[in-house]
Amino acid sequence: GAGVSQSPSNKVTEKGKDVELRCDPISGHTALYWYRQRLGQGLEFLIYFQGNSAPDKSGLPSDRFSAERTGESVSTLTIQRTQQEDSAVYLCASSLAGDQPQHFGDGTRLSIL
Amino acid sequence: DQQVKQNSPSLSVQEGRISILNCDYTNSMFDYFLWYKKYPAEGPTFLISISSIKDKNEDGRFTVFLNKSAKHLSLHIVPSQPGDSAVYFCAASSSWGKFQFGAGTQVVVTP
């Protein structure tokens, strides 16, 4: 497709389980970002990948969160031992470069019971 | 530490009138600013941007103004249309790939 694709669109899981969220960026976009949006709040930066450089992980809230990206393709965000406060919409975005406007996917709505 | 603030959570404007959305920031190192629009259940879409070397940028009905000394930017939508009803986020960056977003302003355009 032409846009950023995220899957699943919705995920409901029990507290303590691990979840994996997937992002397919726009082809050719070297930069990829993950954000979290809690209810009624703005976008919270999590992690940024730029090409083959080491990712900027400064926004990850705890060591339960990790993300990977292979080259300039798909990225996965993994949350281990989920907690109720992890409930949020997780948004992925990509851009041609780190100083360009981002194209967002529609997000994954994560609900932790 | 919220470095980008949108102090108005909501704005109601009549169709055809001007919508003015405001955004304040605290980090004087920010040099690139963007506005995004978001409909429910969709990701934000890019609207317009401005770099710190400019004080105004226009694109059709959308104009962004930047006042660096006041650390303030605004988005003007003229004329407002029903399809403009959405949440608007401002974002700012001082370094490659690092963007800070405001909490958003919900705009409702009434007939």
Side-chain angles (χ1 to χ4, degrees):
Chain A
V4 176
S5 177
Q6 290 187 248
S7 61
S9 53
N10 284 284
K11 176 73 176 177
V12 181
T13 192
E14 292 179 348
K15 177 182 169 182
K17 301 282 189 185
D18 297 352
V19 295
E20 191 173 277
L21 312 180
R22 177 187 169 104
C23 173
D24 281 273
I26 293 172
S27 178
H29 281 193
T30 63
L32 186 144
Y33 313 77
W34 283 98
Y35 293 90
R36 175 170 72 178
Q37 185 181 19
R38 289 180 162 140
L39 192 63
Q41 298 187 21
L43 277 68
E44 177 188 357
F45 166 80
L46 296 177
I47 189 168
Y48 159 60
F49 295 90
Q50 174 62 58
N52 293 316
S53 302
D56 179 344
K57 304 180 182 180
S58 59
L60 295 178
S62 77
D63 58 7
R64 295 187 296 106
F65 287 72
S66 62
E68 292 187 353
R69 186 185 189 196
T70 306
E72 294 181 1
S73 62
V74 170
S75 175
T76 54
L77 175 70
T78 302
I79 309 173
Q80 295 178 309
R81 305 181 302 282
T82 51
Q83 304 292 313
Q84 286 188 327
E85 62 262 27
D86 299 334
S87 296
V89 175
Y90 289 82
L91 288 158
C92 175
S94 70
S95 63
L96 282 169
D99 63 345
Q100 298 295 310
Q102 297 161 42
H103 299 257
F104 283 84
D106 288 340
T108 294
R109 182 173 296 279
L110 178 63
S111 301
I112 309 300
L113 302 179
Chain B
D1 174 21
Q2 192 71 11
Q3 298 185 47
V4 178
K5 296 179 183 178
Q6 294 177 255
N7 291 318
S8 297
S10 64
L11 171 70
S12 183
V13 64
Q14 217 169 10
E15 183 177 358
R17 299 288 184 111
I18 183 171
S19 294
I20 300 177
L21 292 84
N22 294 303
C23 180
D24 296 292
Y25 61 95
T26 57
N27 188 342
S28 57
M29 299 301 291
F30 287 146
D31 58 7
Y32 183 49
F33 305 88
L34 310 92
W35 284 94
Y36 288 84
K37 173 180 176 179
K38 185 181 185 301
Y39 293 119
E42 294 183 11
T45 55
F46 169 71
L47 269 180
I48 192 168
S49 64
I50 188 167
S51 75
S52 58
I53 61 172
K54 291 185 165 185
D55 55 18
K56 177 182 173 181
N57 189 25
E58 260 182 281
D59 185 359
R61 297 186 297 115
F62 302 92
T63 303
V64 56
F65 296 91
L66 175 62
N67 182 333
K68 286 197 71 179
S69 60
K71 296 192 183 69
H72 177 84
L73 68 155
S74 61
L75 175 69
H76 292 208
I77 307 173
V78 184
S80 299
Q81 298 175 353
D84 296 332
S85 295
V87 177
Y88 290 79
F89 292 98
C90 66
S93 174
S94 61
S95 60
W96 198 271
K98 212 55 182 297
F99 291 84
Q100 299 267 356
F101 282 77
T105 296
Q106 171 76 59
V107 172
V108 176
V109 180
T110 58

